[in-house]
Amino acid sequence: MEFKTLSHISIDELLSVFNHSFSDYIVPFHLTKEVLLLKLDSEKLDLNISVGAFENDQLVSFILQAEKEEEGRKIIYNGGTGIVPEFRGKGLVRKMYDFIIPQLKERNAEVLLLEVIQGNEGAIRAYENLGFSIVRKFLCFHGNINSVKENNEVSIQELEDFQWEKFRSFWDIEPSWQGKNSILENIKKDVLKLGAFKDEILVGYIIYHPVSKKVYQIAVDQKYRNQGIGTKLFKAIKDINQKQPISFNNVDEASENTTKFLEKTIGLNNWVSQFEMKRDI
């Protein structure tokens, strides 16, 4: 067994092993090449700091990783760990981390971050044995947007750019990795930015990816909540995507009002939940 970075790997080979690894996962899924490329780009996954296990030069396991500096600390995010079924139970996750961590230290990385599906007890135990601790629980939503009564005093307008300082003032919680500002800046040409205006004042916004049909962020000014503003933003998305189902992943469970709003008002289903786990290097 040989361990090395994925800097030399082809997208086609990575796609094949990725789909094989997740074919019998607790939540099975299958990516197209286009979706894998979008994932790599949108999450800033870097094959130069990602690691793989190779048997006879064939990739059998991988950890896809991204790097980001936040509050003065360099964070390494695990955007996906996969092991093909035939090679499980061999401690490959630990061995891959043992291989890559010295290289990450050379890059002055300080923190490892990942997400794992609630209920995947084997993976949770494995990460805990590697020193990771659960820090947050995320809820993932999917479904069709309800037809709801609109607030006609609110207008929805497309925004030319992110207004991060204003957006952040609306937040109750910090987004997960996929929804962080720096990540969204990387795909700003591909996402739709809608603002809700009342009396010409920006009082809410939503960021939506029309191709993946994924909401990345939504927030409403605390002074204007419970006035149908979030509802109207979702109504605009419903009109744009021709009533097709959407997803909104990694909503912090601590935001009870958001969870209730998404389920009861918008009509989305919390179909799976994840734990955010972290450890110092």
Side-chain angles (χ1 to χ4, degrees), residues 56-73:
N56 298 322
D57 289 327
Q58 297 296 311
L59 181 66
V60 298
S61 180
F62 60 85
I63 300 174
L64 299 176
Q65 299 194 119
E67 180 181 271
K68 177 180 180 293
E69 190 164 316
E70 189 172 274
E71 298 178 352
R73 304 189 79 192

Side-chain angles (χ1 to χ4, degrees), residues 182-217:
S182 59
I183 299 297
L184 296 181
E185 282 286 350
N186 198 45
I187 56 171
K188 63 182 178 182
K189 294 180 180 179
D190 302 317
V191 296
L192 185 64
K193 305 166 283 292
L194 298 180
F197 291 82
K198 188 172 184 180
D199 300 325
E200 300 184 358
I201 299 172
L202 179 66
V203 296
Y205 74 95
I206 193 167
I207 301 173
Y208 176 71
H209 196 292
V211 174
S212 64
K213 306 196 183 306
K214 181 185 296 183
V215 173
Y216 282 97
Q217 289 186 14

